[in-house]
Amino acid sequence: MKKPSIAIIPLPDIERKSYWMLPGYMNGLIEAGALPVMLPLTTHTSLLTQIADEYDGFLFTGGHDIQPEMYGQTPLPACAQRCPRRDEMENLLLPMILERDKPLFGICRGLQFLNVALGGTLYQDLPTQRPSHTAHRQTPPYDRPAHSVTILPDTPLHALLGQQEIPVNSCHHQAVRALSPRLSPMALSQDGLVEAVWMPEKKYVWATQWHPEFSHLVDENSRKLFRSFVMAAGEEASAPVPSTGN
C-alpha cells in the first residue's frame, strides 16, 4: 500500500547558509505510516504549485520568529532572529494548500505562522509582554512535560485524545495574542494561552504549540497526533484523481 507523502518545511540555518531537519519530524511521521520529504527553501511559484499538487500533506515546522511586520507590529528588542525568505515561502504555499483542502499540521512556529497568515497576531516575547509562572520555554531534555494544557470539549483534539487535560513539553517565547477568526482553539495552557488550534472550514488543518517531534518516543498522545495527521494525508493519497475530460 502506497504511503502518503508529507512535505516538510525546511529549517534554515542563516549563518551556515544551509537548511536542515530534526529527526523527530521525520521519524514521527515515518512511524505513523508516512513518507516524509524535506522541501527546498524556495519562493518560485511554479515549484510551489507543483509541491501543492503532488504532496498529500504538509508539516509546518518550528524555527525562527515570524516577522512582526506581517501582523502590523514593529519588532521589539526581544524579538529573535527572523527568516524573511521562509515567511515568504510559507505565505505563498499556504493559500495553495488551503485551496486544495489538503491536510496540514503545524508545530510551534507552525501554529504561530498559521495564525498570522490568517489574520491573527502574536506576542513577540512572552517574558517581556506576558510574564507567567507557566514554563513555556523549558531546558533539555525536550521529551519531558513542562506544563499541562486543557483540552476543550467538542473539538477534534478532544475526540482524538479523549482527555480533558494532558501534560506537554514547551519551547517557545512567542505565542498567539489575538486568534485568527478562521481558527478555533482546541487547547489552552494553565495561564490561558492558545496551545492548539484547528480550522473548521477545512478537512484537516491542525496545529499545536507543543512539540510532538520531541516527545513521540515516550508519549502516546504525541503519537496519536502524528497518526491522525498521516491518516488524513492517507485519505488524500487514496482519493480518486478528478478527470480533466477530453
Side-chain angles (χ1 to χ4, degrees):
M1 184 175 177
K2 181 182 177 183
K3 296 182 182 294
S5 59
I6 305 294
I8 305 179
I9 301 294
L11 305 175
D13 187 324
I14 295 173
E15 286 77 16
R16 297 182 180 181
K17 297 182 180 180
S18 64
Y19 38 95
W20 57 288
M21 185 52 51
L22 285 166
Y25 292 120
M26 295 282 191
N27 294 337
L29 290 169
I30 290 171
E31 291 163 8
L35 171 63
V37 177
M38 185 175 72
L39 295 178
L41 186 67
T42 180
T43 56
H44 290 288
T45 303
S46 60
L47 288 179
L48 293 173
T49 299
Q50 183 174 342
I51 287 167
D53 285 336
E54 293 189 0
Y55 286 92
D56 302 311
F58 298 84
L59 178 63
F60 279 50
T61 53
H64 296 87
D65 285 2
I66 295 162
Q67 298 174 94
E69 293 87 350
M70 287 181 57
Y71 48 97
Q73 295 184 16
T74 301
L76 300 175
C79 190
Q81 188 180 58
R82 281 85 79 191
C83 182
R85 192 158 180 238
R86 178 176 175 180
D87 290 341
E88 185 181 357
M89 172 182 170
E90 292 179 329
N91 266 320
L92 291 169
L93 182 58
L94 179 62
M96 298 178 186
I97 297 169
L98 297 181
E99 180 183 4
R100 291 158 177 77
D101 202 5
K102 290 196 172 182
L104 183 154
F105 185 42
I107 294 176
C108 194
R109 174 201 152 96
L111 183 155
Q112 296 162 12
F113 177 82
L114 190 63
N115 184 56
V116 168
L118 297 176
T121 65
L122 301 179
Y123 291 105
Q124 293 186 41
D125 181 63
L126 288 174
T128 56
Q129 292 184 290
R130 196 181 188 276
S132 168
H133 293 297
T134 301
H136 288 291
R137 196 162 193 171
Q138 70 187 95
T139 56
Y142 296 118
D143 61 354
R144 59 187 172 88
H147 62 80
S148 64
V149 298
T150 299
I151 309 296
L152 301 181
D154 302 319
T155 62
L157 186 61
H158 189 274
L160 174 69
L161 302 182
Q163 300 178 64
Q164 295 181 342
E165 185 173 290
I166 62 168
V168 298
N169 55 10
S170 190
C171 186
H172 63 106
H173 83 115
Q174 298 197 318
V176 170
R177 187 168 191 165
L179 185 63
S180 161
R182 298 180 65 186
L183 298 173
S184 293
M186 294 199 292
L188 302 175
S189 62
Q190 296 159 309
D191 55 351
L193 290 176
V194 173
E195 288 274 341
V197 300
W198 68 302
M199 196 172 182
E201 67 193 77
K202 298 299 179 182
K203 286 186 289 190
Y204 190 104
V205 175
W206 291 21
T208 64
Q209 186 60 71
W210 64 90
H211 290 266
E213 80 277 13
F214 287 127
S215 55
H216 70 96
L217 291 176
V218 298
D219 178 53
E220 177 62 15
N221 290 326
S222 298
R223 293 190 286 270
K224 285 182 177 179
L225 279 167
F226 277 126
R227 288 197 295 264
S228 72
F229 173 45
V230 171
M231 183 178 297
E235 292 172 356
E236 180 67 32
S238 61
V241 178
S243 174
T244 57
N246 296 319

